[in-house]
Amino acid sequence: MTVTTRALGDDFAAPIDARYFEDYATGTTYEYGHVSVTEAEIIEFARRFDPQPIHLDPGFAATGPFKGIIASGWHTGSILMRLFADHVLSRVASLASPGVDELRWPAPVRPGDSLRLRVTVLETRPSRSKPDRGIVH
């Protein structure tokens, strides 16, 4: 899969391969996209990682509550992670993530849908345990 996406508004001043802690300013919001989802991609992901009939079988899914096949929430999360890695995560200073605070799937993703990522920097602070590093939330 080749994903080519772009900023849909303001972008970071520093390029991703020269971006450090101080480049993540509290209160800034960035949007990136778009990625379209096909039925074949939904089924392929489901076969490998989330083999539920609502993601695998268009006939079964047509009789279900969504009246058609939908992407696994994990597929949706993976697409957004790709956008996040392509546009937000520093390629020279990101060390790891302490985790995800909340993940929700408020609406189904269907074949033909186009997804985008919106990121807001809520807080930045020096690490308490490693003061030479920072945490971006």
Side-chain angles (χ1 to χ4, degrees), residues 1 5 8-9 13 19 31 35 38 41 47 51-52 54 67 78 84 90 104 112 119 137:
M1 174 172 97
T5 55
L8 300 175
R19 195 174 300 154
E31 290 190 52
V35 175
T38 68
E41 290 168 336
R47 276 193 188 117
Q52 298 179 67
I54 199 157
K67 304 298 182 214
S78 296
F84 195 73
S90 168
R104 299 276 183 260
V119 175
H137 184 210

mmCIF file of all heavy atoms in Angstrom, residues 1 5 8-9 13 19 31 35 38 41 47 51-52 54 67 78 84 90 104 112 119 137:
data_model
loop_
_atom_site.group_PDB
_atom_site.id
_atom_site.type_symbol
_atom_site.label_atom_id
_atom_site.label_comp_id
_atom_site.label_asym_id
_atom_site.label_seq_id
_atom_site.Cartn_x
_atom_site.Cartn_y
_atom_site.Cartn_z
ATOM 1 N N MET A 1 0.838 -1.174 0.000
ATOM 2 C CA MET A 1 0.000 0.000 0.000
ATOM 3 C C MET A 1 0.886 1.241 0.000
ATOM 4 O O MET A 1 1.771 1.394 0.826
ATOM 5 C CB MET A 1 -0.897 -0.005 1.246
ATOM 6 C CG MET A 1 -1.698 1.253 1.414
ATOM 7 S SD MET A 1 -2.912 1.148 2.737
ATOM 8 C CE MET A 1 -2.029 1.921 4.060
ATOM 9 N N THR A 5 -0.082 11.497 1.368
ATOM 10 C CA THR A 5 -0.996 12.430 2.012
ATOM 11 C C THR A 5 -0.273 13.757 2.207
ATOM 12 O O THR A 5 0.930 13.866 2.011
ATOM 13 C CB THR A 5 -1.478 11.874 3.358
ATOM 14 O OG1 THR A 5 -0.337 11.562 4.164
ATOM 15 C CG2 THR A 5 -2.314 10.617 3.171
ATOM 16 N N LEU A 8 -3.395 19.507 5.493
ATOM 17 C CA LEU A 8 -4.660 20.091 5.042
ATOM 18 C C LEU A 8 -4.847 21.497 5.622
ATOM 19 O O LEU A 8 -5.942 21.989 5.707
ATOM 20 C CB LEU A 8 -5.823 19.187 5.447
ATOM 21 C CG LEU A 8 -5.779 17.778 4.882
ATOM 22 C CD1 LEU A 8 -6.919 16.936 5.440
ATOM 23 C CD2 LEU A 8 -5.814 17.785 3.360
ATOM 24 N N GLY A 9 -3.780 22.105 6.028
ATOM 25 C CA GLY A 9 -3.780 23.440 6.625
ATOM 26 C C GLY A 9 -2.368 23.736 7.078
ATOM 27 O O GLY A 9 -1.404 23.362 6.414
ATOM 28 N N ALA A 13 6.593 24.020 11.466
ATOM 29 C CA ALA A 13 7.632 24.833 10.829
ATOM 30 C C ALA A 13 8.850 23.976 10.508
ATOM 31 O O ALA A 13 9.484 24.155 9.465
ATOM 32 C CB ALA A 13 8.014 25.998 11.740
ATOM 33 N N ARG A 19 12.728 17.656 13.545
ATOM 34 C CA ARG A 19 11.743 18.122 14.530
ATOM 35 C C ARG A 19 12.092 17.586 15.910
ATOM 36 O O ARG A 19 12.304 16.403 16.094
ATOM 37 C CB ARG A 19 10.357 17.635 14.116
ATOM 38 C CG ARG A 19 9.231 18.345 14.826
ATOM 39 C CD ARG A 19 7.875 17.936 14.274
ATOM 40 N NE ARG A 19 7.772 18.257 12.860
ATOM 41 C CZ ARG A 19 6.979 17.621 12.006
ATOM 42 N NH1 ARG A 19 6.194 16.653 12.429
ATOM 43 N NH2 ARG A 19 6.947 17.962 10.732
ATOM 44 N N GLU A 31 -3.829 19.105 10.570
ATOM 45 C CA GLU A 31 -4.659 18.096 9.903
ATOM 46 C C GLU A 31 -3.917 17.557 8.685
ATOM 47 O O GLU A 31 -3.254 18.311 7.969
ATOM 48 C CB GLU A 31 -5.982 18.698 9.452
ATOM 49 C CG GLU A 31 -6.909 19.026 10.603
ATOM 50 C CD GLU A 31 -8.303 19.396 10.139
ATOM 51 O OE1 GLU A 31 -8.892 18.623 9.357
ATOM 52 O OE2 GLU A 31 -8.787 20.444 10.564
ATOM 53 N N VAL A 35 -6.940 9.587 3.157
ATOM 54 C CA VAL A 35 -6.725 8.196 2.790
ATOM 55 C C VAL A 35 -8.088 7.574 2.535
ATOM 56 O O VAL A 35 -8.956 7.612 3.406
ATOM 57 C CB VAL A 35 -5.994 7.417 3.911
ATOM 58 C CG1 VAL A 35 -5.892 5.947 3.558
ATOM 59 C CG2 VAL A 35 -4.622 8.007 4.182
ATOM 60 N N THR A 38 -10.821 0.968 0.617
ATOM 61 C CA THR A 38 -11.563 0.132 -0.322
ATOM 62 C C THR A 38 -12.113 -1.102 0.390
ATOM 63 O O THR A 38 -11.612 -1.505 1.448
ATOM 64 C CB THR A 38 -10.669 -0.341 -1.491
ATOM 65 O OG1 THR A 38 -9.687 -1.256 -0.983
ATOM 66 C CG2 THR A 38 -9.995 0.838 -2.192
ATOM 67 N N GLU A 41 -9.377 -3.723 0.798
ATOM 68 C CA GLU A 41 -8.470 -3.451 1.916
ATOM 69 C C GLU A 41 -9.117 -3.809 3.252
ATOM 70 O O GLU A 41 -8.466 -4.350 4.143
ATOM 71 C CB GLU A 41 -8.049 -1.983 1.923
ATOM 72 C CG GLU A 41 -7.134 -1.614 0.785
ATOM 73 C CD GLU A 41 -6.959 -0.115 0.623
ATOM 74 O OE1 GLU A 41 -7.840 0.665 1.049
ATOM 75 O OE2 GLU A 41 -5.926 0.271 0.059
ATOM 76 N N ARG A 47 -9.136 -10.310 7.394
ATOM 77 C CA ARG A 47 -8.634 -11.689 7.295
ATOM 78 C C ARG A 47 -7.402 -11.897 8.164
ATOM 79 O O ARG A 47 -7.254 -12.926 8.804
ATOM 80 C CB ARG A 47 -8.272 -12.023 5.845
ATOM 81 C CG ARG A 47 -9.419 -12.459 5.020
ATOM 82 C CD ARG A 47 -8.936 -13.068 3.694
ATOM 83 N NE ARG A 47 -10.086 -13.309 2.859
ATOM 84 C CZ ARG A 47 -10.307 -12.720 1.688
ATOM 85 N NH1 ARG A 47 -9.428 -11.874 1.185
ATOM 86 N NH2 ARG A 47 -11.391 -12.989 1.010
ATOM 87 N N PRO A 51 -10.955 -11.151 12.161
ATOM 88 C CA PRO A 51 -11.816 -11.940 11.291
ATOM 89 C C PRO A 51 -13.258 -12.093 11.758
ATOM 90 O O PRO A 51 -13.756 -13.201 11.973
ATOM 91 C CB PRO A 51 -11.090 -13.290 11.241
ATOM 92 C CG PRO A 51 -10.409 -13.395 12.563
ATOM 93 C CD PRO A 51 -9.996 -11.987 12.903
ATOM 94 N N GLN A 52 -13.929 -10.978 11.904
ATOM 95 C CA GLN A 52 -15.355 -11.001 12.227
ATOM 96 C C GLN A 52 -16.156 -10.861 10.933
ATOM 97 O O GLN A 52 -15.764 -10.114 10.035
ATOM 98 C CB GLN A 52 -15.708 -9.848 13.166
ATOM 99 C CG GLN A 52 -14.988 -9.925 14.508
ATOM 100 C CD GLN A 52 -15.369 -8.754 15.377
ATOM 101 O OE1 GLN A 52 -16.517 -8.656 15.807
ATOM 102 N NE2 GLN A 52 -14.424 -7.861 15.625
ATOM 103 N N ILE A 54 -18.683 -9.206 10.030
ATOM 104 C CA ILE A 54 -19.095 -7.855 9.645
ATOM 105 C C ILE A 54 -17.993 -7.122 8.871
ATOM 106 O O ILE A 54 -18.246 -6.160 8.156
ATOM 107 C CB ILE A 54 -19.554 -7.045 10.875
ATOM 108 C CG1 ILE A 54 -20.391 -5.877 10.432
ATOM 109 C CG2 ILE A 54 -18.388 -6.622 11.728
ATOM 110 C CD1 ILE A 54 -21.318 -5.348 11.480
ATOM 111 N N LYS A 67 -25.800 -2.421 7.864
ATOM 112 C CA LYS A 67 -26.320 -2.615 6.500
ATOM 113 C C LYS A 67 -25.225 -2.644 5.440
ATOM 114 O O LYS A 67 -25.405 -2.183 4.324
ATOM 115 C CB LYS A 67 -27.352 -1.541 6.146
ATOM 116 C CG LYS A 67 -28.505 -1.453 7.124
ATOM 117 C CD LYS A 67 -29.293 -2.737 7.152
ATOM 118 C CE LYS A 67 -30.475 -2.614 8.102
ATOM 119 N NZ LYS A 67 -30.763 -3.858 8.767
ATOM 120 N N SER A 78 -5.032 1.850 12.545
ATOM 121 C CA SER A 78 -3.771 1.634 11.832
ATOM 122 C C SER A 78 -3.565 2.669 10.729
ATOM 123 O O SER A 78 -2.448 3.155 10.515
ATOM 124 C CB SER A 78 -3.734 0.228 11.236
ATOM 125 O OG SER A 78 -3.756 -0.738 12.261
ATOM 126 N N PHE A 84 -0.103 9.606 11.347
ATOM 127 C CA PHE A 84 0.626 10.167 12.483
ATOM 128 C C PHE A 84 2.138 9.987 12.292
ATOM 129 O O PHE A 84 2.920 10.924 12.484
ATOM 130 C CB PHE A 84 0.145 9.493 13.774
ATOM 131 C CG PHE A 84 0.537 10.193 15.036
ATOM 132 C CD1 PHE A 84 -0.079 11.376 15.413
ATOM 133 C CD2 PHE A 84 1.512 9.658 15.858
ATOM 134 C CE1 PHE A 84 0.280 12.029 16.595
ATOM 135 C CE2 PHE A 84 1.884 10.294 17.031
ATOM 136 C CZ PHE A 84 1.261 11.484 17.401
ATOM 137 N N SER A 90 8.390 12.815 15.200
ATOM 138 C CA SER A 90 9.741 13.177 14.791
ATOM 139 C C SER A 90 10.501 11.934 14.351
ATOM 140 O O SER A 90 10.447 10.896 15.007
ATOM 141 C CB SER A 90 10.478 13.836 15.953
ATOM 142 O OG SER A 90 11.847 13.947 15.662
ATOM 143 N N ARG A 104 -11.742 5.587 20.550
ATOM 144 C CA ARG A 104 -13.168 5.369 20.304
ATOM 145 C C ARG A 104 -13.423 5.277 18.807
ATOM 146 O O ARG A 104 -12.709 5.876 18.015
ATOM 147 C CB ARG A 104 -14.001 6.540 20.855
ATOM 148 C CG ARG A 104 -13.885 6.746 22.341
ATOM 149 C CD ARG A 104 -14.851 5.826 23.078
ATOM 150 N NE ARG A 104 -14.814 6.053 24.495
ATOM 151 C CZ ARG A 104 -14.154 5.302 25.349
ATOM 152 N NH1 ARG A 104 -13.467 4.283 24.921
ATOM 153 N NH2 ARG A 104 -14.185 5.547 26.631
ATOM 154 N N GLY A 112 -14.892 3.264 0.409
ATOM 155 C CA GLY A 112 -15.047 4.550 -0.257
ATOM 156 C C GLY A 112 -14.900 5.754 0.660
ATOM 157 O O GLY A 112 -14.765 6.884 0.189
ATOM 158 N N VAL A 119 -4.687 16.490 14.784
ATOM 159 C CA VAL A 119 -3.881 16.369 15.992
ATOM 160 C C VAL A 119 -3.794 17.741 16.646
ATOM 161 O O VAL A 119 -3.476 18.724 15.985
ATOM 162 C CB VAL A 119 -2.455 15.888 15.645
ATOM 163 C CG1 VAL A 119 -1.572 15.876 16.882
ATOM 164 C CG2 VAL A 119 -2.492 14.514 15.016
ATOM 165 N N HIS A 137 1.744 15.625 24.807
ATOM 166 C CA HIS A 137 0.426 15.005 24.961
ATOM 167 C C HIS A 137 -0.554 15.763 24.085
ATOM 168 O O HIS A 137 -0.573 16.959 24.043
ATOM 169 C CB HIS A 137 -0.001 15.067 26.428
ATOM 170 C CG HIS A 137 -1.296 14.382 26.697
ATOM 171 N ND1 HIS A 137 -2.154 14.763 27.678
ATOM 172 C CD2 HIS A 137 -1.897 13.323 26.113
ATOM 173 C CE1 HIS A 137 -3.198 13.991 27.717
ATOM 174 N NE2 HIS A 137 -3.071 13.103 26.763
#
